[in-house]
């Protein structure tokens, strides 16, 4: 299980013709984040995991499309010890570059398709000489909006691939020089976005998404509810 409470703020400032925004998102989990997690009874209580910060978020708007680009990082604020079986962090810094678009198929912008790509690189894990390979994630969805854009219903998707091999350092000898393999996994499901509003004011949204995973290789597979 994971819980998060973040702030995503879009300013009135412009940079390269785009709206400038930023995000900070602390997360909490009651499980070990690293594999292997299949045969260990964790018994963990909810604790702080790694902190996500996006100091640069840019958004451009055209008549039938929106575009976004950003830079984010994961800070190793969660507990981590290479000898522990109860880590709630990953013990490394991760740097994420992202870009995406939403395309509208009609003038009223009721039908839309979105896709965003994220590329991650990582530093060595704390107190080890292990470096995780680069990861590419693509996610988005096809949706229909109602109630002047307040209510949205559609299909969400994602795909994730390990692009480069993990560098296991001295631990590679335990595998006889073999690689753990570049993992991949795919997911697709339904999404519903509901407005929280009165007749005069919009306060926010509630988003519910359920994804079925498939095609997993060199990683675990299961369904996800967000």
């Amino acid at each position: 299980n994971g819980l998060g409470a973040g702030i995503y703020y879009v300013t009135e400032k412009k940079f390269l013709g785009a709206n400038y925004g930023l995000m900070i998102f602390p997360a909490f989990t009651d499980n070990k984040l690293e594999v292997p997690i299949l045969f260990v009874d964790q018994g963990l209580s909810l604790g702080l995991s790694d902190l996500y910060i996006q100091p640069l978020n840019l958004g451009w708007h055209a008549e039938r499309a929106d575009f976004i680009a950003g830079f984010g990082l994961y800070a190793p604020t969660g507990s981590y010890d290479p000898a522990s079986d109860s880590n709630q962090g990953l013990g490394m810094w991760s740097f994420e570059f992202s870009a995406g678009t939403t395309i509208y198929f009609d003038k009223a912008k009721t039908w839309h398709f979105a896709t965003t790509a994220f590329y991650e690189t990582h530093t060595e894990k704390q107190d080890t000489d292990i470096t995780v390979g680069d990861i590419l994630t693509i996610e988005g969805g096809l949706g229909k909006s109602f109630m002047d854009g307040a209510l949205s219903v559609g299909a969400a998707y994602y795909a994730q691939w390990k692009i480069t091999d993990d560098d296991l350092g001295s631990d590679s000898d335990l595998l006889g020089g073999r690689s753990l393999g570049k993992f991949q996994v795919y997911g697709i499901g339904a999404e519903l976005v509901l407005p929280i509003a009165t007749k005069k004011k919009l306060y926010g949204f509630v988003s519910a998404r359920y994804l079925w995973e498939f095609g997993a290789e060199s990683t675990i597979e299961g369904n996800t509810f967000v």
Side-chain angles (χ1 to χ4, degrees):
N1 297 300
L3 298 174
I7 296 173
Y8 182 17
Y9 180 62
V10 180
T11 73
E12 295 182 359
K13 297 183 181 299
K14 294 284 187 175
F15 181 70
L16 299 178
N19 295 102
Y20 169 73
L22 65 162
M23 180 191 303
I24 183 168
F25 200 100
F28 301 83
T29 182
D30 62 359
N31 206 341
K32 178 182 177 183
L33 295 182
E34 288 183 310
V35 292
I37 64 171
L38 299 180
F39 307 108
V40 180
D41 182 11
Q42 302 296 333
L44 291 177
S45 58
L46 199 66
L48 179 66
S49 185
D50 292 343
L51 174 68
Y52 179 73
I53 304 170
Q54 193 177 70
L56 181 64
N57 181 283
L58 302 176
W60 295 266
H61 307 284
E63 185 177 354
R64 289 288 187 92
D66 296 323
F67 303 92
I68 196 168
F71 168 73
L73 56 91
Y74 293 87
T77 53
S79 62
Y80 185 81
D81 183 330
S84 175
D85 64 356
S86 59
N87 294 322
Q88 288 170 303
L90 293 174
M92 63 185 184
W93 290 85
S94 298
F95 305 99
E96 176 191 83
F97 303 87
S98 60
T101 183
T102 299
I103 299 172
Y104 303 96
F105 299 114
D106 59 337
K107 189 174 181 180
K109 297 185 176 182
T110 62
W111 284 100
H112 40 81
F113 175 78
T115 190
T116 305
F118 304 86
Y119 194 90
E120 298 176 39
T121 63
H122 315 93
T123 64
E124 280 191 353
K125 284 182 171 288
Q126 177 183 324
D127 299 325
T128 75
D129 56 358
I130 296 172
T131 303
V132 175
D134 295 354
I135 297 173
L136 173 65
T137 306
I138 297 177
E139 64 178 22
L142 173 67
K144 168 70 172 174
S145 297
F146 304 90
M147 298 168 56
D148 294 326
L151 172 67
S152 294
V153 179
Y157 72 90
Y158 74 89
Q160 189 173 74
W161 301 271
K162 181 72 70 69
I163 301 300
T164 63
D165 284 322
D166 296 327
D167 181 356
L168 301 182
S170 58
D171 288 340
S172 63
D173 296 337
L174 300 176
L175 297 174
R178 291 176 296 155
S179 168
L180 289 176
K182 300 186 184 79
F183 76 74
Q184 63 185 34
V185 64
Y186 307 90
I188 191 168
E191 183 174 28
L192 174 68
V193 181
L194 296 169
I196 303 172
T198 64
K199 290 182 178 180
K200 295 183 178 180
K201 188 172 183 179
L202 175 66
Y203 293 96
F205 298 91
V206 175
S207 173
R209 183 186 314 137
Y210 194 91
L211 295 163
W212 289 267
E213 289 188 342
F214 61 94
E217 295 182 7
S218 300
T219 188
I220 57 175
E221 179 180 285
N223 300 335
T224 303
F225 177 69
V226 181

